[in-house]
Amino acid sequence: MLRIVCLALVLALQAQAVSLVAKGKSDYTIVVSASAPPSEQRAAAELQRYIEEMSGAKLPVATDAQTVKGPMVLLGDSAALRKLKPAIAFDRLGNEGFVIRTSGRHLIIAGGQPRGTMYGVYTFLDKLGCRWFTREVSRIPKRPAIDIAKTDETHRPSFEYREPFFTEAWDKDWAARNRTNGNHTKLDESTGGKLKYQPFVHSFEALVPPSKYFKDHPEYFSLIDGKRRAERSQLCLTNPDVLTIAVAQVEQWIREKPDTTIFSVSQNDWEGWCECDRCRRVEAEEGGEHSGPLLRFVNAVAEQIGRKYPDKLIDTLAYWYTENPPAKVRPLPNVRI
């Protein structure tokens, strides 16, 4: 019986590796790098705020340039973290991945820049029961004791672009706390920025403007019921000149907005696909789907863009008449549907 009791006590101590707050008090210090980016400074402030709101314990915030005694919550890469030699592979975490790890009495929340550590803090708070339902409505549980079991977790987002498409979700604080990063959000440097998108879908009209090209080159646009159309038309996606013009336009967008990640090569927001012989032939090869010519065209753009700009992504839509997938062609690695 004594052996069983001792074993149970050992297992309990192993499971409860970190007692962050006990009876509303804590001897922990939140530590960030002296050169921490704004998003990691925000992460420290948010962790301090919500731990205090939950438990009443206000953890001090210090930098790794200061002498800290006692256990630490280590946020982001820092000299203090490296002394523990936790072997965190920051280069594998990307911009948004992070680890949550216990090391002795210390708690580590550290991720890639610019948003990884901040997302790690919000995920940690989420595990403690915090929820931010709207800009005005949240649930922060009362916890006079916060105990963290021994843990070693690595998180990477499954989707690189995340945007609930309604205006309230674009609020900076709500978006950061719920780990959304889309183009319409009001995220700024303090939240590690966001993924920028140019233009935001339905881009054929901007890629090859009918006002500029139709008069001299009606063949660039859809053949519909035997006639080329400038209004409420799409592009002739098998015309090689259309490809050349589209690539040049995307390259111009990249030069104009070099901090943008995603560039859209996507159909206008109406029907009007091209019915020329070449486009019909591609559709037949792709199982009769209108998405066949579209994805072959998008891949061709992406292939050329990728040679010069390997960090940029080309997006298109599975939408309306292109919703069904083609039979054969698949998106290139730098294409997003």
Side-chain angles (χ1 to χ4, degrees):
M1 179 64 72
L2 182 59
R3 281 185 176 180
I4 294 173
V5 171
C6 290
L7 178 59
L9 180 60
V10 169
L11 291 174
L13 290 172
Q14 288 178 339
Q16 186 177 305
V18 170
S19 180
L20 190 61
V21 178
K23 296 181 179 180
K25 298 185 181 299
S26 177
D27 55 356
Y28 278 78
T29 300
I30 299 169
V31 178
V32 297
S33 170
S35 58
S39 63
E40 291 184 2
Q41 296 174 34
R42 175 190 172 95
E46 291 278 87
L47 183 62
Q48 181 189 57
R49 170 186 175 178
Y50 287 110
I51 291 294
E52 182 179 20
E53 189 171 338
M54 280 189 280
S55 68
K58 185 173 184 178
L59 278 60
V61 177
T63 74
D64 58 358
Q66 299 170 277
T67 300
V68 177
K69 295 181 179 180
M72 297 177 285
V73 180
L74 294 152
L75 298 187
D77 193 8
S78 68
L81 175 65
R82 289 191 292 275
K83 286 179 182 177
L84 297 180
K85 301 185 185 303
I88 294 176
F90 284 98
D91 58 327
R92 298 181 183 178
L93 295 174
N95 296 332
E96 299 182 338
F98 57 87
V99 298
I100 300 176
R101 177 183 297 173
T102 51
S103 178
R105 290 190 67 200
H106 305 300
L107 173 64
I108 299 166
I109 305 175
Q113 293 183 6
R115 294 178 291 276
T117 297
M118 182 182 71
Y119 286 161
V121 164
Y122 288 129
T123 297
F124 174 73
L125 292 171
D126 186 88
K127 289 174 177 290
L128 296 180
C130 295
R131 297 291 186 274
W132 297 274
F133 298 115
T134 74
R135 287 176 294 186
E136 293 83 20
V137 179
S138 61
R139 184 188 72 198
I140 310 301
K142 297 302 179 185
R143 299 185 58 149
I146 299 177
D147 298 318
I148 312 302
K150 185 177 180 180
T151 188
D152 186 358
E153 304 175 8
T154 299
H155 296 257
R156 297 181 188 87
S158 298
F159 294 89
E160 62 202 321
Y161 186 92
R162 305 175 299 278
E163 181 169 33
F165 202 73
F166 56 98
T167 54
E168 187 171 25
W170 302 338
D171 173 76
K172 180 179 78 171
D173 291 330
W174 189 94
R177 290 166 184 159
N178 287 281
R179 284 142 283 169
T180 68
N181 63 3
N183 184 71
H184 288 77
T185 56
K186 297 177 182 177
L187 298 166
D188 57 19
E189 187 183 19
S190 72
T191 52
K194 60 185 178 181
L195 293 188
K196 296 182 180 179
Y197 206 132
Q198 163 70 31
F200 190 74
V201 306
H202 303 311
S203 67
F204 277 4
E205 195 97 343
L207 272 173
V208 186
S211 59
K212 181 177 180 179
Y213 291 104
F214 186 81
K215 181 179 178 182
D216 295 326
H217 295 282
E219 71 276 13
Y220 292 174
F221 302 92
S222 294
L223 181 72
I224 303 170
D225 296 331
K227 295 182 180 180
R228 300 284 178 177
R229 273 190 3 200
E231 295 182 357
R232 297 189 70 80
S233 176
Q234 306 289 350
L235 299 177
C236 179
L237 298 174
T238 56
N239 187 305
D241 292 340
V242 171
L243 175 62
T244 300
I245 294 167
V247 169
Q249 182 60 63
V250 172
E251 289 181 342
Q252 182 178 327
W253 288 338
I254 293 173
R255 290 191 297 270
E256 291 170 351
K257 297 190 176 182
D259 60 338
T260 296
T261 302
I262 305 170
F263 294 86
S264 187
V265 177
S266 54
Q267 70 212 59
N268 298 323
D269 198 10
W270 48 74
E271 292 186 341
W273 57 85
C274 186
E275 299 171 352
C276 77
D277 290 342
R278 288 180 304 192
C279 287
R280 284 179 179 271
R281 190 179 309 118
V282 172
E283 286 181 4
E285 293 171 0
E286 295 291 351
E289 299 296 346
H290 300 309
S291 57
L294 173 70
L295 188 52
R296 288 195 190 185
F297 178 79
V298 170
N299 275 353
V301 173
E303 182 179 16
Q304 294 192 43
I305 294 299
R307 293 174 195 156
K308 294 176 66 174
Y309 304 100
D311 60 326
K312 303 303 182 185
L313 301 174
I314 301 299
D315 115 293
T316 197
L317 300 176
Y319 174 73
W320 206 328
Y321 62 89
T322 60
E323 188 172 348
N324 292 333
K328 298 178 181 178
V329 65
R330 294 295 179 264
L332 293 181
N334 61 333
V335 170
R336 298 293 181 270
I337 307 298

